[in-house]
Amino acid sequence: MSRYQRQIILPQIGENGQHKLAESRVLVIGAGGLGCALLPYLAASGVGKLGIVDGDRIEESNLHRQVLYAAKDVGRFKAEIAKERLEEQNPDCAIEVTTEFLSGKNALALFADFDVIVDATDRIGVRYLINDAAVLTQKPVVYGSIHRFEGQVSVFNYENGPTYRCLFPHAVEAPSCAEAGVLGTAVGLIGMLQAQEVMKIILGTGRVLSGELLIYNCLNATQERFQFAKKETPQITETFYKKEHLKEAIQTLNFHPELLEMGIFIDVRQSDEQPRLQMPRLIEIPLGELETARQQLDQNETYYVFCQSGKRAKLAVEQMRDRGFTRVTALQEGAREVANALRKSLVD
Amino acid sequence: MEVTLKYFGQLVDVMGSHEEIRSIKAQNTQELLEHLQAQYAISHIPFQLAINQKLVDAEENVKLNEGDVVALLPPYAGG
C-alpha cells in the first residue's frame, strides 16, 4: 500500500478512507477537457472502479486541453485511449468504458452500477438527462461546466439535496467550448474542483458543495458561491423520465406535391419570415401560438408541419402528438425548398 | 436606489462588464428584468437571478433593497 501512504497519513483519510476509495465506483460522463483533468487524479488516488462514457473520437483541436491524448491518438475513441493511459497509471483501478454517448436508453442501467456520477459533458441537454437519471437511481452528481474563463461547480442530488433542475429549471442550449473557445488551464482547474468533490463524497469528509453553485473566474482569480434551494417541481418520476428522455425520434417526411391532396399544411414560422407560401390548404400558426390555436384543429385530420429549417416543425409535431394528434408529420424541408418544389411542379 | 449588478458567462459580453453599480427605478426583480431587457439584447440568454448570493425563484417577484448585489447567472455548456 506504499503507493497511497502519503494520503493515508492524512487524518481525514487513514486506512479506513483508503478502503472507502478502493470500494468506490465513479462514473464519469464525458472524456473531454473536464474528464481528462479529473480522471488521472481519481485513478491515482485508488478509486476502485472508474466508468467512462463518451462516444466521441479524438480530434486535433482537442489536444490543447484534453491532456490524456497524444497526436498519434487522433481518430480513436476518447474513452478507449483514456482507459489505456489510466491503466498504465494505476493497475489497481478497474476501468469500464462505453464508447457511445449517454442517452435516455442507456443512462439508468449505467448509473445503477456506480456510486457517484460526474457530469463532465459539454451540452446542456445531456446535463438534464444526467440529472434525471441520477435522481431516479439515487446517485449524487458532481457537476462542472465552462464558459470561456469561468467555470461552474456544484453537487446535485446529494443526500436528497437540490438538483440541476432546481438551479436551472429551463433547458436552453448555451455555447459549447467549440463555439465559445476555451483554455486548457481553465477547464483543468474546474475538473480538479470536481475531482475534489468526488473525494469528499467518497470519504465523507469536508463540506460537500450541495445546494451551492461555485463560480470560479480564472482570469481574475476570483470565486463566488450562490445558494439555491430544493424545488419540488417537476417531480422526477419514471413517467417524467420517459417523456423527457425516451421520446421516439420524430420521423420527417420529404415534401411531394401529392401531399397537397392528402392533408393540411401548417406553417409554424413567424408571420414576417420569408418566403410566404401559397397552397390550397395552408394554416399559418407561429409555434408559440400553437398551444392556443390547436383547439381549432381536428385531432383526426392529417397535418404536415414545416418551418424555416425543420427544427420548429419537429417541436410542433411533438407538442401536437402530446395533445393526442396522431396523424401529424414534420416535413424534412424548410419553407424555401417547399416553395421551390411547388414552383417546379407547376412548371411540369 | 443603487444596486450592484454582477454578470456572468455570455452576459459579460452583452453588458460590457463583469460588475457595475447602477441607479435604478425598479423596486423589484420583475421591474429590474424588464428594465434590462428593454435596454440590452439579453432575451435569448437564459439566466437565473441571485440576490446577495441567494438564488431567486424565477416565478417569484422579489422586492429589491438599497445596496443589494444582484447576480445574473446563466448556465454554462462547455466541458
Coordinates of all heavy atoms in Angstrom, one line a residue, chain A residues 152 166-169 211-215 224-229, chain B residues 3-8 11 18-20 24 28-30 32-33 36 46-65 67-75:
Chain A
Q152 N -18.4 26.6 -13.6 CA -19.4 26.4 -12.5 C -19.1 25.0 -12.0 O -18.9 24.0 -12.7 CB -20.8 26.4 -13.1 CG -21.2 27.8 -13.6 CD -22.6 27.9 -14.2 OE1 -23.1 26.8 -14.5 NE2 -23.1 29.1 -14.3
C166 N -33.3 22.4 -10.0 CA -33.6 23.4 -9.0 C -32.8 24.7 -9.3 O -33.2 25.8 -9.0 CB -33.3 22.9 -7.6 SG -34.0 21.4 -7.2
L167 N -31.6 24.5 -9.9 CA -30.7 25.6 -10.2 C -31.1 26.2 -11.5 O -31.3 27.5 -11.6 CB -29.3 25.1 -10.3 CG -28.2 26.0 -10.7 CD1 -28.1 27.2 -9.7 CD2 -26.8 25.3 -10.7
F168 N -31.3 25.4 -12.6 CA -31.7 25.9 -13.9 C -32.9 25.2 -14.3 O -32.8 24.1 -15.0 CB -30.5 25.8 -14.9 CG -29.3 26.6 -14.6 CD1 -28.1 25.9 -14.3 CD2 -29.3 27.9 -14.5 CE1 -26.9 26.7 -14.0 CE2 -28.2 28.7 -14.2 CZ -27.0 28.0 -13.9
P169 N -34.1 25.7 -14.0 CA -35.3 24.9 -14.3 C -35.6 24.8 -15.8 O -36.2 23.8 -16.2 CB -36.4 25.7 -13.7 CG -35.8 26.8 -12.9 CD -34.4 26.9 -13.3
G211 N -26.3 22.3 -2.8 CA -27.2 23.4 -2.6 C -26.4 24.7 -2.8 O -26.9 25.8 -2.5
E212 N -25.2 24.7 -3.4 CA -24.4 25.9 -3.7 C -23.8 25.7 -5.1 O -23.3 24.7 -5.4 CB -23.3 26.0 -2.7 CG -23.7 26.5 -1.3 CD -22.6 26.8 -0.4 OE1 -21.9 25.8 0.0 OE2 -22.3 28.0 -0.2
L213 N -23.8 26.9 -5.8 CA -23.1 26.9 -7.1 C -21.9 27.7 -6.9 O -21.9 28.9 -6.4 CB -24.0 27.6 -8.1 CG -23.4 27.9 -9.5 CD1 -23.2 26.5 -10.2 CD2 -24.3 28.8 -10.3
L214 N -20.7 27.1 -7.2 CA -19.5 27.9 -7.1 C -19.1 28.3 -8.5 O -19.2 27.5 -9.5 CB -18.4 26.9 -6.6 CG -17.0 27.5 -6.6 CD1 -16.7 28.3 -5.3 CD2 -15.9 26.4 -6.7
I215 N -18.8 29.6 -8.7 CA -18.3 30.1 -10.0 C -16.9 30.6 -9.8 O -16.7 31.5 -9.0 CB -19.2 31.2 -10.6 CG1 -20.7 30.7 -10.7 CG2 -18.7 31.7 -11.9 CD1 -21.6 31.6 -11.5
E224 N -17.1 33.0 -6.5 CA -18.3 33.3 -5.8 C -19.1 32.1 -5.5 O -19.1 31.2 -6.4 CB -19.1 34.3 -6.6 CG -18.3 35.6 -6.8 CD -19.2 36.8 -6.8 OE1 -20.2 36.8 -6.1 OE2 -18.8 37.8 -7.5
R225 N -19.9 32.1 -4.5 CA -20.8 31.0 -4.2 C -22.2 31.5 -4.1 O -22.4 32.5 -3.5 CB -20.4 30.3 -2.9 CG -19.0 29.8 -2.9 CD -18.6 29.6 -1.4 NE -19.2 28.4 -0.9 CZ -18.4 27.3 -0.6 NH1 -17.1 27.4 -0.7 NH2 -19.0 26.2 -0.1
F226 N -23.1 30.8 -4.7 CA -24.5 31.1 -4.6 C -25.3 30.0 -4.1 O -25.1 28.8 -4.5 CB -25.0 31.5 -6.1 CG -24.3 32.6 -6.7 CD1 -23.2 32.4 -7.5 CD2 -24.7 33.9 -6.4 CE1 -22.5 33.5 -8.0 CE2 -24.0 35.0 -6.9 CZ -22.9 34.8 -7.7
Q227 N -26.2 30.3 -3.1 CA -27.0 29.2 -2.5 C -28.3 29.0 -3.3 O -28.9 30.0 -3.8 CB -27.3 29.6 -1.1 CG -26.1 29.6 -0.2 CD -26.4 30.1 1.2 OE1 -27.5 30.6 1.5 NE2 -25.4 30.0 2.0
F228 N -28.7 27.8 -3.5 CA -30.0 27.6 -4.1 C -30.8 26.4 -3.3 O -30.1 25.6 -2.7 CB -29.9 27.3 -5.6 CG -29.1 26.1 -5.9 CD1 -29.7 24.9 -6.2 CD2 -27.7 26.2 -6.0 CE1 -29.0 23.7 -6.5 CE2 -27.0 25.0 -6.3 CZ -27.6 23.8 -6.6
A229 N -32.1 26.5 -3.3 CA -32.9 25.6 -2.5 C -33.5 24.5 -3.4 O -33.6 24.6 -4.6 CB -34.0 26.4 -1.8
Chain B
V3 N -28.0 49.6 -6.8 CA -27.7 48.2 -6.6 C -26.4 47.9 -7.4 O -26.1 48.6 -8.3 CB -28.9 47.3 -7.1 CG1 -30.1 47.5 -6.2 CG2 -29.2 47.5 -8.5
T4 N -25.8 46.8 -6.9 CA -24.6 46.3 -7.7 C -25.1 45.1 -8.6 O -25.8 44.2 -8.1 CB -23.6 45.7 -6.7 OG1 -23.2 46.8 -5.9 CG2 -22.4 45.2 -7.5
L5 N -24.8 45.2 -9.9 CA -25.2 44.1 -10.8 C -23.9 43.4 -11.2 O -22.9 44.0 -11.5 CB -25.9 44.7 -12.0 CG -27.2 45.5 -11.8 CD1 -27.7 46.1 -13.1 CD2 -28.2 44.5 -11.2
K6 N -24.0 42.0 -11.1 CA -22.9 41.2 -11.5 C -23.3 40.3 -12.6 O -24.4 39.7 -12.6 CB -22.4 40.3 -10.3 CG -21.8 41.1 -9.2 CD -21.1 40.2 -8.2 CE -20.3 41.0 -7.2 NZ -19.5 40.2 -6.3
Y7 N -22.5 40.3 -13.7 CA -22.8 39.5 -14.8 C -21.8 38.3 -15.0 O -20.7 38.4 -14.7 CB -22.7 40.4 -16.1 CG -23.5 41.6 -15.9 CD1 -22.9 42.9 -16.0 CD2 -24.9 41.6 -15.7 CE1 -23.6 44.1 -15.8 CE2 -25.6 42.8 -15.5 CZ -24.9 44.0 -15.6 OH -25.6 45.2 -15.4
F8 N -22.4 37.2 -15.5 CA -21.6 36.0 -15.7 C -21.8 35.4 -17.1 O -22.8 35.7 -17.7 CB -21.9 34.9 -14.6 CG -21.5 35.4 -13.2 CD1 -22.3 36.1 -12.4 CD2 -20.2 35.0 -12.7 CE1 -21.9 36.5 -11.2 CE2 -19.8 35.4 -11.5 CZ -20.7 36.2 -10.7
L11 N -23.3 36.8 -20.6 CA -23.9 38.1 -20.3 C -22.8 39.2 -20.1 O -23.0 40.4 -20.4 CB -24.7 38.1 -19.0 CG -26.0 37.3 -19.1 CD1 -26.6 37.0 -17.7 CD2 -27.0 38.1 -19.9
H18 N -18.1 43.0 -16.0 CA -18.5 41.9 -15.0 C -19.4 42.4 -13.9 O -20.1 41.7 -13.3 CB -17.2 41.4 -14.4 CG -16.4 40.4 -15.2 ND1 -16.8 39.1 -15.3 CD2 -15.3 40.6 -16.0 CE1 -16.0 38.5 -16.2 NE2 -15.1 39.4 -16.6
E19 N -19.2 43.7 -13.7 CA -19.9 44.3 -12.5 C -20.1 45.8 -12.6 O -19.2 46.5 -13.2 CB -19.0 44.0 -11.3 CG -19.6 44.3 -10.0 CD -18.7 43.9 -8.8 OE1 -17.9 42.9 -9.0 OE2 -18.7 44.5 -7.8
E20 N -21.2 46.3 -12.2 CA -21.4 47.7 -12.2 C -22.4 48.1 -11.0 O -23.2 47.3 -10.6 CB -22.0 48.2 -13.5 CG -23.3 47.6 -13.8 CD -23.9 48.1 -15.1 OE1 -23.8 49.3 -15.4 OE2 -24.6 47.3 -15.9
I24 N -31.2 52.5 -10.1 CA -32.4 52.0 -10.8 C -33.7 52.5 -10.2 O -33.8 52.8 -9.0 CB -32.4 50.4 -10.8 CG1 -32.3 49.9 -9.4 CG2 -31.4 49.9 -11.7 CD1 -32.7 48.5 -9.2
N28 N -38.5 46.0 -7.8 CA -38.4 44.5 -7.6 C -37.7 43.8 -8.7 O -37.4 44.5 -9.7 CB -39.9 44.0 -7.4 CG -40.8 44.4 -8.5 OD1 -40.4 44.3 -9.7 ND2 -41.9 45.0 -8.1
T29 N -37.6 42.5 -8.6 CA -36.8 41.8 -9.7 C -37.5 41.8 -11.0 O -36.8 41.9 -12.0 CB -36.6 40.3 -9.2 OG1 -37.8 39.7 -8.8 CG2 -35.6 40.2 -8.1
Q30 N -38.8 41.7 -11.0 CA -39.6 41.8 -12.2 C -39.3 43.1 -13.0 O -39.0 43.1 -14.2 CB -41.1 41.7 -11.9 CG -42.0 41.4 -13.1 CD -41.8 39.9 -13.5 OE1 -41.8 39.0 -12.7 NE2 -41.5 39.7 -14.8
L32 N -36.8 45.1 -12.6 CA -35.4 45.1 -13.0 C -35.1 44.4 -14.3 O -34.4 44.9 -15.2 CB -34.5 44.5 -11.9 CG -33.0 44.5 -12.2 CD1 -32.4 45.8 -12.3 CD2 -32.2 43.7 -11.1
L33 N -35.7 43.2 -14.4 CA -35.6 42.4 -15.6 C -36.2 43.1 -16.8 O -35.5 43.2 -17.9 CB -36.3 41.0 -15.4 CG -35.6 40.0 -14.6 CD1 -36.4 38.8 -14.4 CD2 -34.2 39.7 -15.2
L36 N -33.8 45.9 -17.8 CA -32.6 45.4 -18.5 C -32.9 44.9 -19.9 O -32.2 45.1 -20.9 CB -31.9 44.3 -17.7 CG -31.2 44.7 -16.4 CD1 -30.7 43.5 -15.6 CD2 -30.1 45.7 -16.6
P46 N -30.6 32.5 -21.4 CA -31.4 32.1 -20.2 C -30.5 32.4 -19.0 O -29.3 32.2 -19.0 CB -31.5 30.6 -20.3 CG -30.4 30.2 -21.2 CD -30.0 31.3 -22.1
F47 N -31.1 32.9 -17.9 CA -30.3 33.1 -16.7 C -31.2 33.1 -15.5 O -32.4 33.3 -15.6 CB -29.4 34.4 -16.7 CG -30.2 35.7 -16.9 CD1 -30.7 36.3 -15.8 CD2 -30.4 36.2 -18.2 CE1 -31.5 37.5 -15.9 CE2 -31.1 37.4 -18.3 CZ -31.7 38.0 -17.2
Q48 N -30.6 32.9 -14.3 CA -31.3 33.0 -13.0 C -30.8 34.2 -12.3 O -29.6 34.6 -12.5 CB -31.0 31.7 -12.2 CG -31.5 30.4 -12.8 CD -33.0 30.3 -12.6 OE1 -33.7 30.7 -13.5 NE2 -33.4 29.8 -11.5
L49 N -31.6 34.7 -11.4 CA -31.1 35.8 -10.6 C -30.8 35.4 -9.2 O -31.5 34.5 -8.6 CB -32.3 36.9 -10.4 CG -32.6 37.8 -11.6 CD1 -33.6 38.8 -11.2 CD2 -31.3 38.5 -12.1
A50 N -29.7 36.0 -8.6 CA -29.4 35.7 -7.2 C -29.3 37.1 -6.6 O -28.8 38.0 -7.1 CB -28.1 35.0 -7.1
I51 N -29.9 37.2 -5.4 CA -29.8 38.5 -4.6 C -29.0 38.2 -3.4 O -29.3 37.3 -2.6 CB -31.2 39.1 -4.2 CG1 -32.0 39.3 -5.5 CG2 -31.0 40.3 -3.4 CD1 -33.4 39.8 -5.2
N52 N -27.9 38.9 -3.2 CA -27.0 38.7 -2.1 C -26.6 37.3 -2.0 O -26.7 36.7 -0.9 CB -27.6 39.3 -0.8 CG -27.9 40.8 -1.0 OD1 -27.2 41.5 -1.7 ND2 -29.0 41.2 -0.4
Q53 N -26.2 36.7 -3.1 CA -25.7 35.3 -3.1 C -26.8 34.2 -2.9 O -26.4 33.0 -2.8 CB -24.5 35.0 -2.1 CG -23.5 36.1 -2.0 CD -22.6 36.3 -3.3 OE1 -22.6 37.3 -3.8 NE2 -22.0 35.2 -3.7
K54 N -28.0 34.6 -3.0 CA -29.1 33.6 -2.9 C -29.9 33.6 -4.1 O -30.4 34.6 -4.5 CB -30.0 33.8 -1.6 CG -29.4 33.3 -0.4 CD -30.5 33.1 0.6 CE -30.0 32.2 1.8 NZ -30.4 32.7 3.1
L55 N -30.1 32.4 -4.7 CA -30.9 32.3 -5.9 C -32.4 32.7 -5.7 O -33.0 32.3 -4.6 CB -30.9 30.9 -6.4 CG -30.7 30.8 -7.9 CD1 -29.3 31.1 -8.3 CD2 -31.1 29.4 -8.4
V56 N -33.0 33.4 -6.6 CA -34.4 33.8 -6.5 C -35.2 32.9 -7.4 O -34.8 32.6 -8.6 CB -34.6 35.2 -7.0 CG1 -36.0 35.6 -7.0 CG2 -33.7 36.2 -6.2
D57 N -36.3 32.4 -6.9 CA -37.1 31.5 -7.8 C -37.7 32.3 -8.9 O -38.1 33.5 -8.8 CB -38.3 31.1 -6.9 CG -39.1 29.9 -7.5 OD1 -39.3 29.9 -8.8 OD2 -39.4 29.0 -6.8
A58 N -37.5 31.8 -10.2 CA -37.8 32.6 -11.4 C -39.3 33.0 -11.4 O -39.6 34.1 -12.0 CB -37.6 31.7 -12.6
E59 N -40.2 32.3 -10.7 CA -41.6 32.7 -10.7 C -41.9 33.7 -9.7 O -43.0 34.3 -9.7 CB -42.5 31.4 -10.5 CG -42.7 30.6 -11.8 CD -41.8 29.4 -11.8 OE1 -41.9 28.6 -10.9 OE2 -41.1 29.3 -12.8
E60 N -41.0 34.0 -8.8 CA -41.2 34.9 -7.7 C -40.8 36.3 -8.1 O -39.8 36.5 -8.8 CB -40.4 34.4 -6.5 CG -41.2 34.2 -5.3 CD -40.2 33.7 -4.2 OE1 -39.6 32.6 -4.3 OE2 -40.1 34.5 -3.2
N61 N -41.5 37.3 -7.6 CA -41.1 38.7 -7.8 C -40.6 39.2 -6.4 O -41.4 39.4 -5.5 CB -42.3 39.5 -8.3 CG -41.9 40.9 -8.7 OD1 -40.7 41.2 -8.8 ND2 -42.8 41.7 -9.0
V62 N -39.3 39.5 -6.3 CA -38.8 39.8 -5.0 C -38.5 41.3 -4.9 O -37.9 41.9 -5.9 CB -37.5 39.0 -4.8 CG1 -36.8 39.3 -3.4 CG2 -37.8 37.5 -4.8
K63 N -38.7 41.9 -3.8 CA -38.5 43.3 -3.6 C -37.0 43.5 -3.5 O -36.3 42.8 -2.9 CB -39.2 43.7 -2.2 CG -39.1 45.2 -2.0 CD -39.9 45.4 -0.6 CE -39.7 46.9 -0.2 NZ -38.3 47.3 0.0
L64 N -36.5 44.6 -4.1 CA -35.1 45.0 -4.1 C -34.9 46.0 -3.0 O -35.8 46.9 -2.7 CB -34.7 45.5 -5.4 CG -34.6 44.5 -6.6 CD1 -34.4 45.2 -7.9 CD2 -33.5 43.5 -6.3
N65 N -33.7 46.0 -2.4 CA -33.4 47.0 -1.4 C -32.1 47.7 -1.8 O -31.3 47.1 -2.5 CB -33.2 46.3 0.0 CG -34.5 45.7 0.5 OD1 -35.5 46.4 0.6 ND2 -34.5 44.4 0.7
G67 N -28.5 48.9 -2.1 CA -27.3 48.2 -1.8 C -27.3 46.7 -2.1 O -26.3 46.0 -1.9
D68 N -28.4 46.2 -2.6 CA -28.4 44.7 -2.9 C -27.4 44.4 -4.0 O -27.1 45.2 -4.9 CB -29.8 44.3 -3.5 CG -30.8 44.0 -2.3 OD1 -30.3 43.8 -1.2 OD2 -32.0 43.9 -2.6
V69 N -26.9 43.2 -3.9 CA -26.0 42.7 -5.0 C -26.8 41.7 -5.8 O -27.2 40.7 -5.3 CB -24.7 42.1 -4.4 CG1 -23.8 41.6 -5.6 CG2 -23.9 43.1 -3.6
V70 N -27.1 42.0 -7.1 CA -27.9 41.2 -7.9 C -27.0 40.5 -8.9 O -26.3 41.2 -9.7 CB -29.0 41.9 -8.6 CG1 -29.9 41.0 -9.4 CG2 -29.8 42.7 -7.6
A71 N -26.9 39.2 -8.9 CA -26.1 38.4 -9.9 C -27.0 37.8 -11.0 O -28.1 37.3 -10.7 CB -25.3 37.4 -9.2
L72 N -26.6 37.9 -12.2 CA -27.3 37.3 -13.3 C -26.5 36.0 -13.8 O -25.4 36.2 -14.3 CB -27.4 38.3 -14.5 CG -28.5 39.4 -14.4 CD1 -28.2 40.3 -13.3 CD2 -28.7 40.1 -15.7
L73 N -27.1 34.9 -13.5 CA -26.3 33.6 -13.7 C -26.9 32.7 -14.8 O -27.9 32.1 -14.7 CB -26.4 32.8 -12.4 CG -26.0 33.5 -11.1 CD1 -26.4 32.7 -9.9 CD2 -24.5 33.7 -11.1
P74 N -26.2 32.7 -16.0 CA -26.6 31.8 -17.0 C -26.0 30.4 -16.8 O -24.9 30.3 -16.1 CB -26.1 32.4 -18.3 CG -25.0 33.3 -17.9 CD -25.1 33.5 -16.4
P75 N -26.6 29.3 -17.3 CA -25.9 28.0 -17.3 C -24.8 28.0 -18.3 O -24.9 28.7 -19.3 CB -27.1 27.0 -17.7 CG -28.0 27.9 -18.5 CD -27.9 29.3 -18.0

